[in-house]
């Protein structure tokens, strides 16, 4: 039996995966509540008094932690949130997790044992980091500078994550599944940057720097220290080759291939998102 007539909460519902999930659920006619600081009622990870009102009357919840399950306190927050959710009557929890992050696996375990139906979406780096996040401005400026070396990553598309999340939130066949969500092939950051340049028909330079140079560059741009620490962790620890394999989560969950990076780059280029001002 599909569950499309009871309300679904989408935490991070204005973010890269969340807003795509909200759009899809609304198109299916599923009642949706966005969980974020700008939503009504507001949901804020740092303010636990906002959690229970967000969960009231909810059947299934998509949990996208912010900023990242690897930051200190994330596992405790997810554990406490899951308890609040189950106590409020939420029956299904779908967690967005990060591939290759030990700390994220601790949060996955918390969700598996929370007492609700669960699905884990363990995602690789998103394509949309190049168009909706910290790599957008560098692409527009024509130069991507990161400490990424030659490590290949199977970038995954946020649209594929959203499709899997909606299936897990509304259909019964995904309960108890851990999906490794990746794209269909691996690319280094240099190759991904080159594919964007090809789609734009414009050269986008790629510059590989040392982690220390990258951190110094972020500091010079005034990037807050905690954001710098997270990016350093992602580029040095998570991007050490541990994720250099493709997963089969999109295929298992949806019975189709994931979106290729070049298709993402082409579509995004057509939308003008990388055009110079
Ligand atoms: N980016 C990747 O490549 C990647 C890969 C694998 C896993 N992930 C995981 O994806 C998750 C989301 O990361 P993202 O970079 O993609 O962010 P995002 O979902 O694009 O954006 C952040 C979302 O969280 C909300 N938010 C921000 N601060 C909040 C707070 N203090 N309390 C409540 N809501 C807050 C924002 O809405 P408001 O501003 O309205 O609050 C927005 O909806 C993280 O757990 C990350 O580990 C990301």
């Amino acid at each position: 039996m599909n569950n499309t007539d009871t309300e679904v909460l989408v935490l991070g519902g204005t973010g890269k995966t969340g807003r795509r999930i909200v759009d899809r659920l609304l198109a299916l006619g599923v009642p949706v509540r966005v969980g974020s600081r700008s939503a009504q009622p507001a949901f804020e990870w740092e303010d636990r008094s906002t959690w229970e009102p967000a969960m009231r009357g909810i059947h299934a919840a998509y949990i996208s932690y912010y900023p990242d399950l690897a930051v200190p306190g994330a596992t405790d927050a997810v554990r406490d949130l899951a308890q609040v959710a189950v106590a409020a009557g939420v029956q299904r929890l779908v967690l967005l997790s990060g591939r290759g992050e030990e700390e994220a696996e601790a949060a996955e375990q918390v969700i598996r044992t929370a007492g609700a139906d669960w699905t884990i979406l363990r995602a690789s780096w998103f394509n949309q980091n190049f168009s909706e996040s910290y790599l957008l401005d560098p692409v527009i400026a024509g130069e991507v500078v990161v400490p990424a070396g030659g490590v290949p990553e199977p970038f995954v598309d946020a649209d594929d994550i959203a499709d899997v999340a909606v299936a897990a939130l509304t259909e019964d066949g995904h309960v108890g599944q851990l999906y490794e969500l990746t794209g269909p092939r691996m690319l280094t950051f240099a190759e991904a940057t080159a594919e964007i340049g090809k789609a734009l028909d414009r050269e986008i330079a790629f510059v590989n720097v040392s982690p220390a140079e990258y951190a110094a560059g972020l500091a010079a741009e005034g990037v807050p220290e905690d954001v710098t620490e997270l990016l350093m962790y992602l580029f040095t620890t998570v991007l050490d080759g541990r994720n250099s394999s493709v997963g089969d989560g999109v295929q298992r969950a949806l019975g189709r291939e994931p979106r290729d990076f070049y298709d993402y780059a082409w579509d995004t280029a057509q939308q003008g998102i990388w055009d110079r001002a």
Side-chain angles (χ1 to χ4, degrees), residues 11 50 58 70 74 89 98 108 139 146 152 154 160 165 190 202 210 212-213 223:
L11 297 185
T50 64
I58 293 295
E108 292 175 6
V139 172
V146 282
D160 285 336
R202 182 170 100 217
S210 71
E213 287 169 321
V223 173

Side-chain angles (χ1 to χ4, degrees), residues 201-275:
D201 197 19
R202 182 170 100 217
E203 197 195 330
I204 309 294
F206 176 80
V207 182
N208 184 37
V209 289
S210 71
E213 287 169 321
Y214 184 59
L218 293 175
E221 286 168 25
V223 173
E225 213 170 300
D226 55 340
V227 177
T228 298
E229 272 175 28
L230 177 57
L231 287 169
M232 294 301 289
Y233 165 79
L234 293 171
F235 277 109
T236 58
T237 304
V238 180
L239 196 71
D240 67 354
R242 68 185 64 190
N243 285 339
S244 296
S245 62
V246 293
D248 63 357
V250 174
Q251 295 89 332
R252 281 176 50 222
L254 304 175
R256 66 161 174 81
E257 290 300 307
R259 189 183 193 197
D260 188 77
F261 188 87
Y262 190 72
D263 294 336
Y264 150 78
W266 176 261
D267 290 346
T268 308
Q270 299 314 303
Q271 289 161 25
I273 289 169
W274 290 313
D275 291 352

Side-chain angles (χ1 to χ4, degrees), residues 145-221:
V145 182
V146 282
V151 177
E153 170 70 20
F155 294 96
V156 65
D157 201 277
D159 280 317
D160 285 336
I161 299 172
D163 283 345
V164 176
V166 168
L169 289 163
T170 61
E171 301 168 5
D172 286 341
H174 308 280
V175 172
Q177 295 293 323
L178 187 161
Y179 291 125
E180 294 263 352
L181 302 181
T182 76
R185 65 188 167 116
M186 295 189 286
L187 296 102
T188 62
F189 272 76
E191 290 166 340
T193 303
E195 294 213 2
I196 291 171
K198 189 175 155 200
L200 285 167
D201 197 19
R202 182 170 100 217
E203 197 195 330
I204 309 294
F206 176 80
V207 182
N208 184 37
V209 289
S210 71
E213 287 169 321
Y214 184 59
L218 293 175
E221 286 168 25

Side-chain angles (χ1 to χ4, degrees), residues 2-3 5 21 40 47 50-51 69 110 120 122 145 151 162 168 172 181 184 191 198 200 208 217 239:
N2 288 354
N3 305 297
D5 54 356
I21 295 168
Q40 286 300 327
D47 179 359
T50 64
W51 295 4
L69 289 174
V110 160
I120 308 290
R122 193 187 276 172
V145 182
V151 177
D172 286 341
L181 302 181
E191 290 166 340
K198 189 175 155 200
L200 285 167
N208 184 37
L239 196 71

Side-chain angles (χ1 to χ4, degrees), residues 12-17 35-39 43-46 64-69 96-99 101 123-126 129:
T14 55
K16 287 188 279 299
T17 61
S36 86
R37 296 165 303 176
S38 53
F43 172 89
E44 190 166 348
W45 282 104
E46 295 78 12
S64 171
Y65 184 76
Y66 194 83
D68 196 288
L69 289 174
L96 175 63
S97 181
R99 201 160 179 245
E101 295 186 1
S124 54
W125 293 53
F126 302 167
N129 291 330

